[in-house]
Amino acid sequence: SSGIPYKPFPPGFPGADRAFPKPQLGEFKVLQTLRMQPTQESPLTVPQTLGKLLARETVQVELIPEKKGLFLKHVEYQITSQHFKISVYRRYTDFDVFHELLLQRFAYRMVPALPPKRMDFIEGRRRALGRFINLVARHPFFSEDELVKTFLTFNGSDVQVKMRDACKKMGDEFMTNTMATLAKDYLPADIQAQFSSSRELIRNIHNSFHKLRDRAEKMAERSKENATDLLMFGRELSTLGSDSSPIPSLASSQNTWGILRQSLKGLSVEFALLADKGAQQGRREEDDVVEKLNLFLDLLQSYRDLCERHEKGVLHEHQRALQKYGMMKRQMMSATVQPKEQVSVEQLESRIVQQENAIQTMELRNYFSLFCLHQETQLIFTYLPITSHILGAFVNSQVQGHQEMGAVWNDLQQKLGCLFGVDEMQSPPLTPK
């Protein structure tokens, strides 16, 4: 009631008993109510976690080749949305139009790139399309947009027309976002410095993850090659054991090759099993490690593309508009010094007013672009903990692979001990160290 804030002293502080007056019961209730109220977050903040982003949507992309005659005419993809609980069919051209419209609608956001239409491997393109659509469907500003809903749910044959109509009706995000004209008020004063430092850090992260992906690809390829070598090794042993050529009389009477080579036949089973485990290991490394690295790399590349669009797009257009405006003002000053026809002066004034309006709109777009860029930067850092997912998948794949193959190697070692005897298995080295 006195209006003086109550700040209790620590116990034992001199004069603690003569501190400021304690608040009454009613004041305590007011303070508790204020504490319970959620703090108002800035519209600039994107309150997301990696778990929320990944749980937002999962889209499966399956390959459905359609054959006509002897040749493959085109490829269709079955797109299954977990969120909308529906499957639709799309061709690459549908993805292409969808990507084009996304860039028109969300020019100031991270729009992942599409894989090229002509790729060496159809499976590689299917994987890339899957990464593209999942990044789009999980984006907090894309996921509930009518354009994305149409692509994921529309079952008609004219999906491209439907998407173009939806995009034309809505316009770009600047026209529909309530923050478009207020963005400047929420941007920090050092936004350019923050943008530069974040961009440099993300560029370094992108380079490192690119190298990690390349190494992971090589390891997966080596696992597959190892599987092939093991299979061929077993087959050669089987071929050796199947040789029915008679043993020459020159061989020693104690020669055991005839018995030994019969034992080699059955070893191909274990080596075939080892090859199968090695191939599974390669597929796990591809699906669980390389694919996750590629997903994050696609996102990082889309951020770099966005930064370039910001610099070469709205920022560049704003500078050109200012130059044009300056030229018009000089023409106007020249017209006032050297009298010309009244109509031409009025036309020049009208054009200057139009240019001023255009510059004002471009300034608003520039601030909105920076506003979106700030939010997209936050999303990159929200995705960064995916590193632990990738490392976990890598370690788990190695542990599982080594355990599975180790079990087969142990069985093979025991089998060899029974076939050839323990002495032969533990013989001294054939060459001096």
Side-chain angles (χ1 to χ4, degrees):
S1 60
S2 63
I4 304 173
Y6 170 66
K7 296 183 180 179
F9 290 103
F13 192 91
D17 55 336
R18 293 181 282 104
F20 298 118
K22 295 183 179 180
Q24 302 301 314
L25 181 62
E27 292 173 317
F28 266 125
K29 289 182 177 178
V30 172
L31 289 171
Q32 286 177 338
T33 304
L34 288 172
R35 288 194 196 100
M36 291 172 65
Q37 289 178 351
T39 55
Q40 188 70 25
E41 286 188 340
S42 166
L44 193 62
T45 304
V46 183
Q48 293 288 332
T49 64
L50 179 61
K52 286 182 181 179
L53 288 175
L54 297 179
R56 186 181 291 271
E57 172 69 290
T58 297
V59 184
Q60 298 290 337
V61 178
E62 300 298 333
L63 187 67
I64 301 178
E66 182 178 333
K67 291 186 177 180
K68 294 182 179 179
L70 298 175
F71 301 99
L72 187 67
K73 295 297 182 182
H74 64 264
V75 174
E76 276 194 328
Y77 300 92
Q78 183 181 35
I79 313 297
T80 305
S81 165
Q82 193 176 81
H83 176 69
F84 293 110
K85 296 178 173 57
I86 190 172
S87 291
V88 294
Y89 296 90
R90 299 286 180 259
R91 296 184 186 179
Y92 181 86
T93 53
D94 299 327
F95 276 94
D96 197 25
V97 171
F98 178 52
H99 180 258
E100 172 196 332
L101 295 174
L102 269 176
L103 282 172
Q104 291 178 22
R105 172 115 177 86
F106 296 102
Y108 311 131
R109 302 284 182 188
M110 292 186 296
V111 178
L114 274 183
K117 185 173 182 179
R118 297 189 180 277
M119 287 185 70
D120 294 336
F121 300 102
I122 295 178
E123 172 62 14
R125 187 170 68 183
R126 182 196 69 81
R127 286 175 179 264
L129 290 173
R131 296 194 300 270
F132 162 79
I133 193 61
N134 275 285
L135 285 173
V136 169
R138 289 167 181 167
H139 194 290
F141 299 103
F142 297 168
S143 55
E144 296 302 321
D145 192 77
E146 191 63 31
L147 179 61
V148 177
K149 283 184 180 179
T150 302
F151 183 82
L152 290 175
T153 62
F154 183 69
N155 253 322
S157 58
D158 54 345
V159 64
Q160 295 183 20
V161 175
K162 190 79 173 176
M163 288 191 297
R164 291 187 190 279
D165 289 344
C167 195
K168 187 183 297 183
K169 180 176 66 177
M170 293 180 293
D172 76 330
E173 189 187 11
F174 179 78
M175 305 299 294
T176 58
N177 194 307
T178 55
M179 292 305 304
T181 57
L182 305 172
K184 181 181 179 181
D185 299 333
Y186 293 97
L187 289 172
D190 61 341
I191 180 63
Q192 291 292 352
Q194 286 190 30
F195 167 54
S196 297
S197 60
S198 296
R199 186 179 184 182
E200 182 62 27
L201 175 59
I202 292 170
R203 183 188 290 115
N204 294 337
I205 291 170
H206 182 271
N207 292 337
S208 291
F209 269 87
H210 201 281
K211 293 174 183 176
L212 287 172
R213 192 277 313 275
D214 290 347
R215 292 297 169 188
E217 278 185 339
K218 288 181 178 179
M219 284 187 279
E221 193 60 35
R222 278 201 299 269
S223 294
K224 294 179 183 178
E225 290 174 354
N226 186 44
T228 302
D229 290 339
L230 285 167
L231 185 63
M232 296 307 297
F233 192 90
R235 285 178 180 174
E236 287 301 325
L237 285 176
S238 180
T239 300
L240 191 62
S242 301
D243 186 6
S244 57
S245 304
I247 298 174
S249 56
L250 293 174
S252 168
S253 59
Q254 296 182 0
N255 189 281
T256 58
W257 175 242
I259 300 171
L260 194 144
R261 72 179 180 184
Q262 290 295 321
S263 303
L264 296 176
K265 282 184 183 179
L267 296 181
S268 61
V269 176
E270 279 74 17
F271 279 96
L273 187 56
L274 283 169
D276 183 57
K277 298 298 182 185
Q280 289 178 26
Q281 171 74 3
R283 286 193 294 271
R284 273 195 302 269
E285 289 169 352
E286 262 190 351
D287 296 340
D288 299 341
V289 183
V290 176
E291 194 61 19
K292 286 184 174 69
L293 284 164
N294 276 326
L295 177 79
F296 191 44
L297 279 172
D298 289 351
L299 182 73
L300 292 170
Q301 184 59 50
S302 69
Y303 180 82
R304 295 181 70 168
D305 294 342
L306 173 61
C307 292
E308 288 187 12
R309 281 204 306 277
H310 171 74
E311 290 181 342
K312 295 180 181 177
V314 63
L315 194 61
H316 183 62
E317 289 174 5
H318 185 204
Q319 290 170 347
R320 283 195 305 175
L322 288 173
Q323 290 173 355
K324 186 176 179 182
Y325 177 72
M327 183 181 67
M328 287 180 176
K329 292 291 284 185
R330 287 193 296 272
Q331 288 177 347
M332 187 66 187
M333 290 176 64
S334 175
T336 55
V337 174
Q338 300 177 0
K340 295 185 178 180
E341 295 182 10
Q342 188 67 24
V343 177
S344 63
V345 173
E346 289 177 355
Q347 288 177 345
L348 194 56
E349 287 178 344
S350 174
R351 286 172 57 197
I352 287 175
V353 170
Q354 290 177 0
Q355 189 67 12
E356 286 173 345
N357 292 334
I359 288 173
Q360 187 177 12
T361 302
M362 286 182 187
E363 284 178 347
L364 290 174
R365 279 188 175 272
N366 185 37
Y367 285 122
F368 182 62
S369 177
L370 283 169
F371 182 91
C372 294
L373 194 54
H374 197 288
Q375 291 182 324
E376 300 299 285
T377 304
Q378 292 175 58
L379 281 179
I380 290 291
F381 287 101
T382 302
Y383 260 101
L384 264 175
I386 202 173
T387 308
S388 62
H389 293 225
I390 295 167
L391 287 174
F394 175 66
V395 172
N396 290 338
S397 70
Q398 296 301 316
V399 169
Q400 185 178 349
H402 283 82
Q403 285 178 344
E404 290 178 353
M405 294 189 75
V408 180
W409 283 118
N410 284 330
D411 290 343
L412 182 57
Q413 187 179 43
Q414 293 175 11
K415 185 174 181 179
L416 289 176
C418 295
L419 290 175
F420 307 127
V422 178
D423 292 340
E424 282 78 3
M425 291 290 296
Q426 298 178 351
S427 59
L430 299 179
T431 56
K433 291 185 179 180

